[in-house]
Structures are given as C-alpha cells and as structure tokens.
Amino acid sequence: MERFVLSVLVENHAGVLSRISGLFSRRGYNIDSLTVCETNIPERSRMTIVVRGDEYILDQIVKQLSKLVEVISIEHCNPDTSCQRETALIKVKASGEKRAIIIETCNIYRAHIVDVDVDSVIVEATGSETKIDSLIRLLEPFGILEFVKTGLTAMARGSSVME
C-alpha cells in the first residue's frame, strides 16, 4: 500500500475535525497522521492527513472530502513537489559522561536540547520522518524515557497558494 499526504484547507469552526475524521472511520480508512492548525487567515485551518492505500482509495477519499461543505480545497502533496516535516520531543536519560555524547549527537542532527533535568534531557528535533526515526534509534541506547511526534505537516513548493 502506498502512502499519500493530503493538505486540506477547511473552514475554521467547531465540528469540522469531527466530520472529517468521521468520514474516514465510516469508510473504513485509517488515518496514519493528522495535524491541524489555523492558517494566516483566521477563518481557515489547514489539515495535513496521511493515509495508506492505492490510487482508487485516494480518489475515493478526495471525492468524499470534496462533498463536505467546510472543505475549501484539497491538495495531494507529492514528496517530490512538497516540503514535508515532522517535529519530535524526545526525553532521554542523560547523566554523567553520557550527556556530552547526547549533546554531540543532537548537534549532528541539528536537534536542540530544550529542557535539562538532573538525570534527563528533552530533545526537540524537526525534519523528515527518516531523520527523526534515525535520531531516535541513535538515542535508544541511552534510554528513551518517552517521546512524542507531531505527525507530518506538508506544503507545496513554489509561489502558488492553496485556495
């Protein structure tokens, strides 16, 4: 099954997220990742939805989303023509000499230590899913206490604007 990233511009009001996620569950489609945020126009929000399936499933999802009154536009974000990023916060055991190695590893990945405690640090990393997963694998031997990822966000490259 192929992975598809959809950027969906919607009206920014209560219940829109529920209607869109309900559409997916009623049709039996799983959402791998979903991020939502208000845009530079306060009356609109952008949803980045990651789903798996084939071209037929993608076509069905787009058709069903298009029927919702609150949906303004839908864009399929091809990895070759869009910028796709994820953010993660990773809490790692970091005591003694291990702390310096963790800091150096973070520097290689351009990650930032955003919180320091006596025996742990919280690392913030932004980048491709591959980069985030790679950093997590390198930090695992130190002891990852917990981590959270935002889910994928995406935007088409170039000067065109989604409307």
Side-chain angles (χ1 to χ4, degrees):
M1 291 205 302
E2 208 173 332
R3 189 179 97 149
F4 298 103
V5 179
L6 299 173
S7 183
V8 183
L9 194 61
V10 298
E11 293 176 10
N12 184 17
H13 58 74
V16 175
L17 175 59
S18 176
R19 278 190 281 292
I20 289 178
S21 61
L23 180 147
F24 279 81
S25 65
R26 283 191 307 277
R27 301 278 185 252
Y29 302 135
N30 188 42
I31 297 173
D32 283 1
S33 171
L34 172 65
T35 58
V36 184
C37 189
E38 186 178 279
T39 67
N40 55 316
I41 301 169
E43 297 81 27
R44 296 181 178 177
S45 289
R46 181 186 306 264
M47 301 177 126
T48 305
I49 305 170
V50 180
V51 295
R52 293 190 187 274
D54 55 23
E55 290 287 337
Y56 174 78
I57 289 174
L58 174 65
D59 187 52
Q60 291 303 304
I61 289 170
V62 170
K63 284 179 183 177
Q64 294 301 316
L65 285 172
S66 297
K67 290 179 182 179
L68 296 176
V69 174
E70 298 90 356
V71 173
I72 298 165
S73 62
I74 304 165
E75 184 175 8
H76 174 227
C77 295
N78 184 311
D80 298 332
T81 58
S82 65
C83 180
Q84 300 182 5
R85 293 288 181 262
E86 186 173 74
T87 299
L89 292 175
I90 310 157
K91 188 186 299 182
V92 185
K93 287 183 189 176
S95 56
E97 69 281 348
K98 292 180 181 178
R99 190 170 293 220
I101 300 168
I102 291 168
I103 291 169
E104 194 57 39
T105 302
C106 290
N107 288 338
I108 292 168
Y109 279 81
R110 291 189 220 153
H112 305 283
I113 306 240
V114 294
D115 186 72
V116 177
D117 198 24
V118 175
D119 57 353
S120 68
V121 295
I122 297 178
V123 176
E124 175 189 54
T126 302
S128 69
E129 289 177 292
T130 307
K131 175 184 171 181
I132 301 294
D133 291 342
S134 175
L135 176 60
I136 289 170
R137 277 193 307 276
L138 284 176
L139 294 174
E140 279 176 345
F142 299 102
I144 292 179
L145 300 169
E146 60 182 323
F147 72 86
V148 62
K149 298 197 278 186
T150 60
L152 198 66
T153 56
M155 182 179 286
R157 290 186 173 109
S159 60
S160 64
V161 177
M162 191 174 177
E163 293 184 49

